[in-house]
């Protein structure tokens, strides 16, 4: 229960920041999505890059094993986005991870912009995937904000030493990170099972 209670306490104590983070990140995704619709060549370019770097081919091969597919999705979302894009940069430079995710949100929006009826159909179940996964990223963004705020202003966490304040901010980030991991697990399972079983039925 503490895995649920403690993150909720942190969110309630920083509700304004949490709501602003939601508005910013989902807004940037929608902005990128609109940009992709307005400029189809951008979405087509993203699709082509996924083909070129082997991502599309990897997804096709992994679809035959839904559990391995889910683990791969979880690994990419947790390590590439959560750890490398948000957490680690924020440990070195305050708030840097927030800026990096903001950029990635626009790119993701462009990538998701449908270019044909098939991708429109896939987007229907995938929209929930986006909501779940970005909610996890937003928890990490909130944690990165609290860490940066504590680091710059130790009094924010009722400390006088920057070292102790950094530790306090790191603990807040850790609590929110565990909650984010749970959401990423749920999102990976949902994405893998819908792409493996639901989307093929919808495309018939």
């Amino acid at each position: 229960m503490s895995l649920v209670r403690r993150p909720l306490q942190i969110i309630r104590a920083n509700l304004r920041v949490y709501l602003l983070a939601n508005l910013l990140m989902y807004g940037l995704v929608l902005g990128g999505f609109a940009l992709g619709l307005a400029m189809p060549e951008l979405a087509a370019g993203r699709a082509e890059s996924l083909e070129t770097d082997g991502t599309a081919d990897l997804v096709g091969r992994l679809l035959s094993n839904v559990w391995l597919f889910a683990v791969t999705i979880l690994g990419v979302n947790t390590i590439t986005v959560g750890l490398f894009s948000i957490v680690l940069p924020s440990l070195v430079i305050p708030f840097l991870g927030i800026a990096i995710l903001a950029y990635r949100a626009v790119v993701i929006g462009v990538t998701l912009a449908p270019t044909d009826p098939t991708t429109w159909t896939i987007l229907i179940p995938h929209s929930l995937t986006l909501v779940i996964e970005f909610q996890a990223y937003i928890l990490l963004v909130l944690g990165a904000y609290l860490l940066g705020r504590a680091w710059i202003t130790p009094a924010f966490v009722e400390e006088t030493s920057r070292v102790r304040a950094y530790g306090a901010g790191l603990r807040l980030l850790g609590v929110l990170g565990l909650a984010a991991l749970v959401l990423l697990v749920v999102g990976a399972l949902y994405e893998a099972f819908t792409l493996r079983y639901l989307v093929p039925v919808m495309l018939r």
Side-chain angles (χ1 to χ4, degrees), residues 84-119:
F84 289 161
S85 295
I86 305 173
V87 175
L88 291 183
S90 299
L91 297 181
V92 180
I93 300 176
F95 315 120
L96 179 59
I98 301 174
I100 294 174
L101 182 65
Y103 168 77
R104 292 188 69 104
V106 176
V107 173
I108 290 170
V110 171
T111 305
L112 290 176
T115 55
D116 53 51
T118 297
T119 47

Side-chain angles (χ1 to χ4, degrees), residues 11 21 23 27 38 41 54 62 64 67 84 88 92 96 100 120 124 127 137 145-146 154 168 173 181 192 194 203:
I11 290 172
L23 183 63
E41 63 274 14
L62 289 174
S64 60
W67 294 106
F84 289 161
L88 291 183
V92 180
L96 179 59
I100 294 174
W120 271 111
I124 296 171
S127 298
Y137 302 148
Y145 168 82
L146 295 176
L173 175 58
L181 180 59
T194 52
L203 292 177

Side-chain angles (χ1 to χ4, degrees), residues 107-181:
V107 173
I108 290 170
V110 171
T111 305
L112 290 176
T115 55
D116 53 51
T118 297
T119 47
W120 271 111
T121 301
I122 294 173
L123 186 63
I124 296 171
H126 195 67
S127 298
L128 182 56
T129 302
L130 181 71
V131 171
I132 296 171
E133 291 177 351
F134 259 81
Q135 195 54 221
Y137 302 148
I138 287 166
L139 289 179
L140 293 176
V141 162
L142 176 59
Y145 168 82
L146 295 176
L147 172 62
R149 183 77 184 275
W151 194 357
I152 294 172
T153 312
F156 178 68
V157 287
E158 300 180 349
E159 293 286 356
T160 55
S161 163
R162 289 190 186 277
V163 174
R164 288 197 298 270
Y166 185 90
L170 203 57
R171 286 191 292 274
L172 293 172
L173 175 58
V175 170
L176 293 170
L178 287 176
L181 180 59

Side-chain angles (χ1 to χ4, degrees), residues 66-83 133 136-137 180-189 191-192:
V66 70
W67 294 106
L68 181 58
F69 188 33
V71 170
T72 303
I73 293 170
L74 178 62
V76 170
N77 292 342
T78 302
I79 297 173
T80 304
V81 183
L83 186 61
E133 291 177 351
Y137 302 148
L181 180 59
V182 172
L183 286 175
L184 289 174
V185 170
V186 173
L189 290 172
E191 183 175 3

